[in-house]
Amino acid sequence: MSNPYREIFSVPGTKGFSVAGFFARLPIAMAPIGIVAMLSQTRGEYWIAGAVSATFALTNALIAPQISRLIDRFGQSRVIGPATIVAVIAFAFLILSAHRNWPAWTLFASALLAAAMPSMPAMLRARWTEIFRGSPALNTAFAFESAADELVYIAGASLSVGLAVSLFPEAGMLVSTLSLAFGTLAFTLQRSTEPAVRPVEAGTPRRSAIRLVPVQIITLALVFVGSTFATAEVTTVAFTRELGEPGAASLVIGVYAIGSFIVGLVLGALKLRTPLQKQLLIAVSVLALTALPLLLAGTVPLLALAVFISGVAISPTFITAFGLIERRVPESMLTEGITWVTTGIGIGMAMGAFLAGWVVDNFGAQNGFWLSVAAGVASVITVAWGQKTLAGGDPETAVGALPQAAE
């Protein structure tokens, strides 16, 4: 039996841009928590650390699709470089501001400018799509990317906090910034695999990909998915503390990501014939159902088991969501379309973390898991309602308000 992962990496250039892209996207996980770790130590106040981190994360969620839209229009190499330079300089200024104890406004200004950081997961998936468009190998490539995303979140956040605590407060952010700079430089230098700029389809006005109903449906669904695992992670931290074992939180959360990582790799090796929109519905349904055991876990071992089970559907959800974007979005909007979906995940995580904190403070730690269940159900409703639109048809005809559905 052939190894599908060996096959996708047999194509010249794929190993190079994948390795470079892995380091270039480490800041996705390292920067938000690195800002908190850095400022909580240098300023001694968690509120300003959280506020600056949120400023960066939410602003990046809004700016990244616009940068990707420019990339679809002018190409990766012409846009990624300047955007990354702005982000790297802003991160460096943020580190210096924290180290020199400059006024708070410098922290927020730096975070706003650092939000110019491009969406590397979208760039990587665009390259895979350029190579394997219309081939079953594209599903394997997307599975690899989802597994790599999980690995980034497993390693990046832990590395950022570990460096800040063991070396000096700015260490995590320094490594994150250097990773962004050199990883992106190595990525952009590999021109042979860069996607060609696709002309806008004849008779179609140039507009944002978010106006396409399939993109709206998938992005909304992944807002709920992002909320599902953000609420699970925040509640896990609170619940392990309530159980008297706060140190177990990092281990339990790691188990969460590992379950998704393993299942994602397995799924990528399979050749499923089920239509992608149905695969997505199955994945979010499993996600909602596997959140239920979290409500029953009363000890750390049971919580770890429940968290592992609840994480198995995350990678399948992402793989099928990005596969649908590739099929339902015109080639001239692909990078932006992918970025909107990743933005939806980020927005969902921010919302979920905030709501989980409020529920835990007011109703007790384990009740935070009810939000994971509710978010999972909402994602099922969204995907089920959008089945007809996601099933096919010309994406150009599915433009407008969310209630529309293409037959």
Side-chain angles (χ1 to χ4, degrees), residues 150-151 153-154 252-262 307 311 315:
E150 295 292 344
L151 189 58
Y153 279 107
I154 293 171
V252 174
I253 292 173
V255 167
Y256 193 34
I258 289 171
S260 176
F261 176 80
I262 293 172
V307 164
S315 279

Side-chain angles (χ1 to χ4, degrees), residues 131-363:
I131 297 169
F132 293 119
R133 181 178 280 110
S135 166
L138 184 59
N139 181 70
T140 302
F142 281 176
F144 169 79
E145 286 303 319
S146 294
D149 286 341
E150 295 292 344
L151 189 58
V152 163
Y153 279 107
I154 293 171
S158 298
L159 178 63
S160 190
V161 173
L163 289 171
V165 172
S166 61
L167 297 180
F168 51 90
E170 302 87 356
M173 283 303 301
L174 180 60
V175 171
S176 173
T177 304
L178 291 174
S179 178
L180 174 64
F182 290 105
T184 304
L185 176 62
F187 182 81
T188 53
L189 287 176
Q190 299 179 62
R191 302 292 297 274
S192 65
T193 53
E194 180 178 346
V197 176
R198 305 289 179 179
V200 177
E201 289 69 12
T204 302
R206 185 175 290 277
R207 54 175 173 268
S208 174
I210 197 60
R211 293 188 63 191
L212 301 176
V213 178
V215 177
Q216 294 172 356
I217 293 170
I218 297 171
T219 300
L220 178 60
L222 289 214
V223 167
F224 293 126
V225 171
S227 297
T228 298
F229 54 82
T231 55
E233 289 178 352
V234 171
T235 306
T236 293
V237 172
F239 192 42
T240 52
R241 184 183 297 116
E242 190 177 274
L243 292 173
E245 299 183 61
S250 59
L251 176 62
V252 174
I253 292 173
V255 167
Y256 193 34
I258 289 171
S260 176
F261 176 80
I262 293 172
V263 174
L265 287 177
V266 172
L267 184 64
L270 301 177
K271 306 296 183 183
L272 301 178
R273 297 180 179 273
T274 307
L276 279 176
Q277 74 277 3
K278 291 185 178 179
Q279 289 187 41
L280 182 59
L281 181 58
I282 292 169
V284 294
S285 298
V286 173
L287 189 69
L289 288 172
T290 53
L292 293 173
L294 294 170
L295 302 171
L296 306 175
T299 65
V300 169
L302 286 176
L303 178 63
L305 177 61
V307 164
F308 178 83
I309 293 171
S310 67
V312 298
I314 294 176
S315 279
T317 299
F318 290 170
I319 294 166
T320 51
F322 287 120
L324 280 167
I325 288 292
E326 185 270 329
R327 295 190 184 186
R328 302 295 173 244
V329 174
E331 294 178 3
S332 61
M333 299 181 179
L334 179 62
T335 308
E336 186 195 353
I338 294 173
T339 305
W340 275 115
V341 173
T342 57
T343 293
I345 298 168
I347 292 173
M349 291 182 68
M351 290 173 51
F354 171 77
L355 290 173
W358 181 83
V359 169
V360 167
D361 286 340
N362 289 276
F363 300 102

